[in-house]
């Protein structure tokens, strides 16, 4: 079986049925899984906020397997314990309380 341009809907159980000349039949079952690469569905840029307000930075990632999200700023991991202004919300968005000019770039 060869299929090009497969999608998530093509996943499932397939059966290969072989029939011999004498009428004998045999089958094998194959479970086909389709893995979708990660896609950034909603990650607008730039996202703008006013100084002093609480900012929520949006980044939606879609993938067959649940991705692990790590936020970085200026090449370093955002360390939540060191700066309580940073909170990763349940939807993996990053909240920055009281955003400051130093939070840019």
């Amino acid at each position: 079986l060869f299929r090009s341009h497969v999608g998530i809907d093509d996943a499932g159980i397939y059966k290969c049925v072989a029939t011999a000349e004498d009428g004998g039949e045999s089958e094998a079952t194959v479970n086909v899984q389709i893995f979708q690469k990660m896609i950034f569905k909603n990650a607008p840029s730039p996202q703008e906020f006013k100084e002093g307000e609480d900012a929520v930075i949006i980044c939606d990632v879609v993938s067959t397997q649940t991705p692990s999200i790590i936020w970085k700023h200026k090449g370093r991991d955002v360390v939540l314990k060191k700066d309580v202004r940073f909170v990763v919300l349940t939807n993996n968005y990053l909240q920055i309380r009281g955003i400051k000019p130093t939070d840019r770039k």
Side-chain angles (χ1 to χ4, degrees):
L1 176 66
F2 174 79
R3 293 214 40 196
S4 59
H5 306 292
V6 295
I8 297 295
D9 293 336
D10 295 312
I13 297 175
Y14 289 79
K15 284 188 179 182
C16 175
V17 181
T19 306
E21 287 182 15
D22 65 2
E25 194 173 275
S26 187
E27 65 181 45
T29 303
V30 178
N31 185 7
V32 174
Q33 297 178 343
I34 308 294
F35 294 99
Q36 178 183 10
K37 66 179 182 178
M38 283 191 275
I39 299 170
F40 288 92
K41 179 179 164 188
N42 183 18
S45 183
Q47 294 181 44
E48 297 179 359
F49 309 97
K50 293 181 183 172
E51 184 178 348
E53 71 181 9
D54 291 348
V56 176
I57 302 175
I58 298 169
C59 184
D60 288 322
V61 181
V62 177
S63 177
T64 304
Q65 298 174 336
T66 305
S68 174
I69 307 295
I70 297 172
W71 285 93
K72 292 183 177 270
H73 180 250
K74 297 180 181 177
R76 294 183 163 173
D77 291 357
V78 173
V79 182
L80 306 174
K81 291 180 181 177
K82 286 188 177 180
D83 192 337
V84 294
R85 296 181 316 115
F86 295 96
V87 177
V88 176
L89 304 174
T90 56
N91 57 5
N92 285 319
Y93 293 176
L94 179 64
Q95 180 184 52
I96 305 173
R97 297 179 183 143
I99 199 161
K100 305 184 230 181
T102 55
D103 295 322
R104 294 179 67 177
K105 294 185 181 183

